[in-house]
Amino acid sequence: MLRIYGIKRCDTMSRAQSWLAEHQIEFALHDYKKDGVPADLLADWMRRAGWQVLVNTRGTTFRKLPPEQTADLDNDRALALLTANPSAIRRPLIDLGSELLVGFDEKRWSGVRWSEVSR
């Protein structure tokens, strides 16, 4: 079954989950706050997408962090920041195996062959 990563109480997540339901795509929610994010999975996402894509710099969590934690980010600092603050991971995130869908983009999602997605 498809797994969608994010936070249960998030407007973007709500839109994404509604879109999936409207398109009759079954999914399971992995809530960053409740379930955490395994370090190896987060490191893999960063390797594949880059920290710049994964860090939600416009989100409340990131904006509330002290400048010494958010300044001069690089891969290692971003990994530490996201490990300590999973709410700062951009959402939703869906791992299709061959690619990561990061953020909700209805046009991009419409181009996915969901019937072929096995994760």
Side-chain angles (χ1 to χ4, degrees):
M1 178 179 292
L2 178 74
R3 184 169 302 227
I4 183 171
Y5 295 87
I7 296 172
K8 187 175 184 175
R9 294 187 180 256
C10 167
D11 291 341
T12 305
M13 286 294 296
S14 294
R15 286 193 309 273
Q17 291 177 85
S18 293
W19 189 93
L20 290 169
E22 287 169 15
H23 290 83
Q24 300 176 347
I25 301 165
E26 292 185 32
F27 63 91
L29 171 64
H30 181 104
D31 189 323
Y32 295 148
K33 284 186 176 182
K34 180 181 171 191
D35 305 318
V37 181
D40 58 334
L41 189 58
L42 182 56
D44 180 57
W45 292 343
M46 289 188 69
R47 180 187 56 76
R48 293 167 58 199
W51 67 265
Q52 300 89 338
V53 172
L54 292 180
V55 177
N56 184 7
T57 58
R58 298 185 329 188
T60 304
T61 300
F62 185 87
R63 291 192 323 257
K64 287 184 176 181
L65 292 172
E68 56 270 11
Q69 288 184 21
T70 60
D72 301 320
L73 286 179
D74 60 17
N75 196 65
D76 292 336
R77 288 178 50 86
L79 181 60
L81 183 139
L82 295 179
T83 299
N85 303 280
S87 296
I89 300 171
R90 193 164 170 223
R91 52 199 179 264
L93 190 146
I94 298 176
D95 189 342
L96 299 176
S98 60
E99 69 176 310
L100 293 175
L101 298 178
V102 183
F104 178 60
D105 179 341
E106 188 171 345
K107 184 177 180 181
R108 183 173 178 206
W109 284 30
S110 294
V112 172
R113 294 182 179 204
W114 295 100
S115 61
E116 297 175 9
V117 175
S118 62
R119 293 183 182 240

